[in-house]
C-alpha cells in the first residue's frame, strides 16, 4: 500500500496540471481573485459615491430647507423642467432625463398643526443600481422633519433642551455579554468553513480523476492490476494519495491566505479580521484540522469511487459537478440564521463540521460535540472507504 501511495504521489507531482491545481491555485490565483473582487467592489462603491444624479422637485417652495440642502449636495444636480405631476416624473425617469423625482405636498408645514403628517413621493427606478438614492434623500428628509418638529415645539413653548427627551423618551443601551472573539467569530466563523470545505473537496477531485478514469484512458490500469499487490492495498494507496492532496490543498490555501492577509494589513485596514484570527491558539487550529481529516476522507472515498466508475476523464469531470453542488447545500444550511451546533445538527454530514469550525473560531465550542462529530464522520468515511474497495474489486466496474 505504501509503495502504491509513493508511486501515485510521484506521478502526480510530475504532472504540471496537478501542481498548478494543488499548489499554484491556493498560493497565487485564489488570493489574486479575492483581491481583484475586493478591488472591483471598492471601485464600484467609490464610483457610486462620486456619481452625480439628476433630479427634479415639485413644490420645492414648501420645504426651502430641504430644497437648499439637496441643491448644494455634491451628488445631486437639479434639472430644470415644468414637471407638475407624479406621472410626468415617472416618464422622465423612464426616459432617463432624471434619476429621481420628488413630490412635496403643499401642506408640508400646515399638516403638523392639524395633527397629521404629510407624505412625500420619491420617484426612481428601484430595480436599478440607483436604489441607494432613496436612502440619501431619506436622510435629508429626516433632517427637514427635525426642523418641522422643532418649529412645532417652539410654538408650544417647549424649551429646546427638553425637545430631545420628548422625541426619544426611551433610549436603549446595549450591554453585550459576548467578548470580542465571540462577536468577530459569529461574523467571520461561517465564512471560514465555506472556504475550507469546498477546497478540501476540490483538492481531492482532480487527483482522484487522474488516478481512476485517467489510468483507464492511458491504459495503465491493467498493468497495475497485474502486479502482485492485493486490490485492497491498491485502492488504499490511491485513497491516501487523494487524501494527502485534499488536505495539502486546504492547508496551503490557509497558509497562503494568512501570508497575503499579513501583507494586505500593511496597506489596507483589515484589523478586525487579523484580530479575530490572532485570538486562535494552536489547539484551535489543531481541532479544525482534526475535523477536516475525516471529512477529507469522506470526500476522497466518494471522488475515487466516482473516478473508478467513470469510463473517461471527461465523464468523471461531469460527475464531479453534481457532487460539488451536493456538498454546498449542507454549507448553506450551516450559514442560515440561528443555526447552532446541537445534538441533532452534530449528526448531519458537512453541516456538523462547518458549525463546529464556527464554534471553535468563536471560542464557544463544546468539546463533547467535537468528539461526536469526529467519530460520526470517521465512521461515515470508513463505510465509504469500504464501499470504494468493494467497488474496485468488481470487474464490471473497472472495465465498463
Amino acid at each position: 500500500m505504501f509503495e502504491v501511495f509513493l508511486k501515485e504521489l510521484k506521478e502526480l507531482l510530475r504532472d504540471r496540471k496537478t501542481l498548478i491545481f494543488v499548489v499554484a491555485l491556493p498560493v497565487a490565483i485564489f488570493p489574486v481573485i479575492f483581491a481583484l473582487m475586493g478591488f472591483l467592489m471598492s471601485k464600484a462603491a467609490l464610483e457610486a459615491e462620486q456619481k452625480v444624479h439628476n433630479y427634479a422637485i415639485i413644490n420645492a417652495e414648501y420645504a426651502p430647507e430641504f430644497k437648499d440642502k439637496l441643491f448644494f449636495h455634491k451628488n445631486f444636480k437639479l434639472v430644470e423642467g415644468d414637471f407638475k405631476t407624479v406621472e410626468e416624473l415617472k416618464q422622465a425617469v423612464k426616459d432617463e432625463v432624471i434619476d429621481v423625482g420628488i413630490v412635496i405636498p403643499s401642506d408640508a408645514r400646515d399638516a403638523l398643526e392639524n395633527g397629521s403628517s404629510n407624505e412625500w413621493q420619491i420617484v426612481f427606478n428601484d430595480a436599478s443600481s440607483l436604489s441607494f438614492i432613496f436612502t440619501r434623500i431619506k436622510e435629508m428628509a429626516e433632517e427637514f422633519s427635525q426642523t418641522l418638529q422643532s418649529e412645532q415645539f417652539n410654538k408650544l413653548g417647549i424649551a429646546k433642551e427638553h425637545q430631545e427627551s420628548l422625541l426619544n423618551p426611551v433610549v436603549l443601551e446595549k450591554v453585550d455579554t459576548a467578548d470580542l472573539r465571540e462577536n468577530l467569530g459569529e461574523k467571520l466563523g461561517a465564512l471560514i468553513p465555506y472556504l475550507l470545505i469546498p477546497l478540501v473537496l476540490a483538492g481531492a477531485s482532480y487527483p482522484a480523476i487522474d488516478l481512476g478514469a485517467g489510468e483507464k484512458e492511458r491504459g495503465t490500469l491493467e498493468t497495475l492490476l497485474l502486479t502482485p499487490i492485493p486490490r485492497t492495498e491498491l485502492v488504499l494507496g490511491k485513497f491516501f494519495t487523494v487524501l494527502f492532496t485534499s488536505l495539502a490543498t486546504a492547508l496551503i490555501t490557509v497558509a497562503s491566505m494568512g501570508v497575503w492577509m499579513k501583507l494586505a494589513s500593511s496597506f489596507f485596514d483589515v484589523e478586525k479580521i487579523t484580530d479575530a484570527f490572532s485570538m486562535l491558539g494552536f489547539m484551535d487550529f489543531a481541532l479544525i484540522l482534526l475535523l477536516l481529516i475525516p471529512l477529507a476522507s469522506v470526500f476522497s472515498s466518494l471522488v475515487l469511487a466516482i473516478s473508478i466508475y467513470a469510463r473517461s476523464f471527461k465523464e468523471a469531470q461531469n460527475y464531479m459537478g453534481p457532487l460539488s453542488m451536493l456538498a454546498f447545500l449542507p454549507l448553506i444550511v450551516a450559514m442560515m440564521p440561528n443555526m447552532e451546533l446541537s445534538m441533532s445538527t452534530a449528526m448531519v454530514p458537512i453541516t456538523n463540521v462547518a458549525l463546529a469550525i464556527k464554534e471553535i473560531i468563536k471560542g464557544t465550542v463544546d468539546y463533547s460535540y467535537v468528539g461526536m462529530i469526529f467519530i460520526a464522520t470517521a465512521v461515515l468515511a470508513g463505510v465509504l472507504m469500504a464501499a470504494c474497495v468493494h467497488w474496485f474489486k468488481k470487474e464490471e466496474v473497472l472495465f465498463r
Side-chain angles (χ1 to χ4, degrees):
M1 180 184 71
F2 185 69
E3 289 79 4
V4 176
F5 169 73
L6 289 179
K7 166 198 167 291
E8 302 293 2
L9 191 59
K10 286 178 181 178
E11 289 184 358
L12 286 176
L13 291 175
R14 291 192 190 107
D15 185 6
R16 289 184 179 180
K17 292 181 181 178
T18 303
L19 290 176
I20 291 173
F21 192 85
V22 177
V23 179
L25 282 177
V27 170
I29 298 178
F30 284 147
V32 168
I33 290 173
F34 293 142
L36 182 61
M37 288 175 59
F39 171 74
L40 293 176
M41 290 173 64
S42 62
K43 184 179 179 182
L46 182 62
E47 289 178 354
E49 185 69 26
Q50 295 176 342
K51 187 176 181 180
V52 177
H53 306 286
N54 296 325
Y55 76 94
I57 186 168
I58 298 176
N59 295 331
E61 64 274 13
Y62 295 108
E65 297 90 345
F66 173 80
K67 179 191 74 171
D68 293 340
K69 194 168 188 64
L70 190 61
F71 182 80
F72 290 107
H73 196 284
K74 65 177 182 178
N75 295 112
F76 290 95
K77 179 182 178 181
L78 178 63
V79 173
E80 299 293 343
D82 189 22
F83 301 103
K84 299 185 184 304
T85 64
V86 175
E87 293 304 320
E88 291 179 357
L89 290 178
K90 284 183 178 179
Q91 190 60 46
V93 171
K94 290 179 181 179
D95 294 340
E96 298 183 356
V97 176
I98 60 174
D99 296 316
V100 60
I102 305 166
V103 181
I104 299 175
S106 57
D107 60 347
R109 275 182 160 82
D110 299 336
L112 286 177
E113 296 181 358
N114 298 326
S116 61
S117 57
N118 53 80
E119 183 178 317
W120 295 18
Q121 292 175 296
I122 312 298
V123 182
F124 68 104
N125 185 356
D126 197 21
S128 70
S129 59
L130 305 177
S131 57
F132 59 87
I133 287 179
F134 182 81
T135 303
R136 286 178 174 168
I137 295 178
K138 183 180 178 182
E139 290 173 355
M140 288 183 277
E142 287 175 349
E143 290 184 19
F144 179 65
S145 296
Q146 292 174 0
T147 301
L148 297 181
Q149 290 169 350
S150 182
E151 288 178 359
Q152 294 303 313
F153 278 134
N154 291 333
K155 288 180 181 179
L156 294 173
I158 299 174
K160 189 173 183 179
E161 57 269 19
H162 295 153
Q163 292 177 13
E164 181 63 29
S165 61
L166 288 173
L167 290 172
N168 299 290
V170 178
V171 178
L172 300 179
E173 180 184 359
K174 184 171 69 172
V175 181
D176 194 355
T177 58
D179 57 19
L180 179 62
R181 174 175 174 176
E182 188 174 349
N183 268 321
L184 294 176
E186 179 65 31
K187 297 175 177 66
L188 298 173
L191 298 176
I192 304 306
Y194 198 77
L195 170 67
L196 273 179
I197 294 176
L199 282 172
V200 170
L201 175 58
S205 297
Y206 181 81
I209 294 173
D210 188 65
L211 295 180
E215 290 229 46
K216 284 186 179 181
E217 281 194 347
R218 293 190 298 269
T220 57
L221 183 61
E222 292 84 350
T223 306
L224 189 62
L225 292 173
L226 291 174
T227 60
I229 302 175
R231 290 197 180 182
T232 300
E233 294 188 13
L234 285 176
V235 180
L236 291 178
K238 291 178 179 291
F239 166 80
F240 283 113
T241 306
V242 175
L243 177 62
F244 176 82
T245 57
S246 174
L247 293 173
T249 303
L251 291 175
I252 292 172
T253 303
V254 172
S256 172
M257 291 298 290
V259 172
W260 282 99
M261 195 177 296
K262 187 69 175 176
L263 294 173
S265 63
S266 304
F267 303 96
F268 306 103
D269 184 16
V270 289
E271 185 179 352
K272 287 188 176 181
I273 299 176
T274 54
D275 285 347
F277 286 103
S278 65
M279 296 176 189
L280 296 176
F282 174 78
M283 184 59 69
D284 298 316
F285 286 108
L287 280 176
I288 292 174
L289 178 60
L290 187 69
L291 289 171
L292 287 178
I293 290 173
L295 184 62
S297 300
V298 170
F299 288 149
S300 299
S301 300
L302 283 172
V303 295
L304 188 58
I306 289 172
S307 180
I308 291 169
Y309 177 77
R311 292 188 182 92
S312 63
F313 200 97
K314 186 175 181 180
E315 184 181 343
Q317 285 181 318
N318 292 335
Y319 292 144
M320 295 302 171
L323 179 62
S324 299
M325 293 297 296
L326 289 174
F328 268 105
L329 290 177
L331 286 175
I332 295 172
V333 172
M335 294 183 71
M336 288 181 177
N338 301 321
M339 184 61 66
E340 300 290 340
L341 186 60
S342 62
M343 186 67 72
S344 56
T345 56
M347 293 294 107
V348 181
I350 304 177
T351 299
N352 53 6
V353 175
L355 291 174
I357 292 174
K358 177 182 175 182
E359 293 295 323
I360 290 170
I361 295 172
K362 287 171 61 178
T364 57
V365 66
D366 186 335
Y367 293 104
S368 62
Y369 284 137
V370 173
M372 189 186 307
I373 292 169
F374 180 84
I375 293 171
T377 312
V379 169
L380 177 61
V383 171
L384 291 174
M385 193 188 306
C388 185
V389 172
H390 179 70
W391 201 244
F392 193 77
K393 290 180 179 180
K394 291 193 171 189
E395 299 290 335
E396 61 269 25
V397 173
L398 291 177
F399 304 105
R400 288 175 64 231

